[in-house]
Amino acid sequence: MPYMAWQDDLNTGIKVIDNQHRRIVEMINHLHDAMDRRDRQELNDILDELVDYTLSHFAFEESLMEDADYEFTRAHKRVHEVFVKRVSEYRLRFRTGEDISNELLQTLSHWLFNHIRNDDKAIVDAVRHHMRDVSAQAHEGGWLSRSLRRFFGARG
């Protein structure tokens, strides 16, 4: 039985973001399984993968917010920065031999679900609106369509 189960209210409606969030939940479940096996090397590897993937997810999410001119991008980025710092501290404590297992899992699960349900859901309207605008421009011969034709010879 997984430590964390995906719940429908976590879906933002933006497929790429939802898939990335699901991947993070899978990694947390792998981390939990490795903790049960008490395999420190596996724990270290999964923790590194989780941190790296989360950083790339945050960067992707932040670029979507910036492109959409989301008004609270700076605050959202700050939330990400604080979380990264916190998880990095857990990783450092783990590497010094401290048992951070239960504390880390509780922090990850609580923070992730809370962040998705609140902070990430708040960006959805701005990102969707921007995606519709970009799509419309492509169909109407806008900037994206012109750029694609210029760089790739694609027809708009």
Side-chain angles (χ1 to χ4, degrees):
M1 177 180 227
Y3 176 76
M4 294 177 72
W6 187 260
Q7 299 164 17
D8 287 341
D9 71 328
L10 296 170
N11 290 316
T12 64
I14 300 173
K15 190 173 183 172
V16 65
I17 291 176
D18 291 339
N19 288 341
Q20 289 175 2
H21 288 160
R22 285 177 186 265
R23 179 70 183 121
I24 293 169
V25 168
E26 287 173 12
M27 288 179 183
I28 293 170
N29 284 328
H30 290 152
L31 187 66
H32 178 260
D33 293 344
M35 288 175 177
D36 282 349
R37 289 190 292 278
R38 301 194 186 287
D39 184 333
R40 285 197 61 82
Q41 183 57 52
E42 184 181 10
L43 279 169
N44 185 65
D45 294 346
I46 294 170
L47 191 53
D48 284 347
E49 181 184 14
L50 180 62
V51 169
D52 290 345
Y53 189 85
T54 301
L55 287 172
S56 65
H57 165 68
F58 285 168
F60 176 77
E61 206 173 74
E62 290 166 7
S63 71
L64 287 178
M65 288 186 288
E66 288 171 355
D67 290 348
D69 290 325
Y70 178 61
E71 64 181 313
F72 300 111
T73 298
R74 182 175 290 180
H76 199 115
K77 280 183 170 184
R78 182 69 184 133
V79 169
H80 287 169
E81 290 167 4
V82 168
F83 179 73
V84 167
K85 182 178 180 199
R86 191 172 188 188
V87 173
S88 295
E89 289 169 359
Y90 278 117
R91 187 164 54 172
L92 181 63
R93 288 171 51 200
F94 171 78
R95 288 184 175 156
T96 62
E98 188 176 339
D99 181 8
I100 49 110
S101 305
N102 291 328
E103 186 181 348
L104 176 62
L105 281 173
Q106 288 177 1
T107 297
L108 290 173
S109 59
H110 176 74
W111 188 91
L112 180 66
F113 281 7
N114 202 26
H115 182 69
I116 293 170
R117 286 183 176 121
N118 297 302
D119 300 321
D120 285 351
K121 290 257 178 140
I123 71 170
V124 170
D125 288 341
V127 170
R128 281 186 163 166
H129 180 75
H130 177 70
M131 292 168 114
R132 278 193 300 271
D133 286 351
V134 168
S135 179
Q137 287 178 2
H139 292 303
E140 296 170 4
W143 170 85
L144 181 60
S145 180
R146 288 190 310 271
S147 296
L148 288 172
R149 276 195 306 272
R150 187 172 46 154
F151 291 113
F152 302 109
R155 304 223 178 248

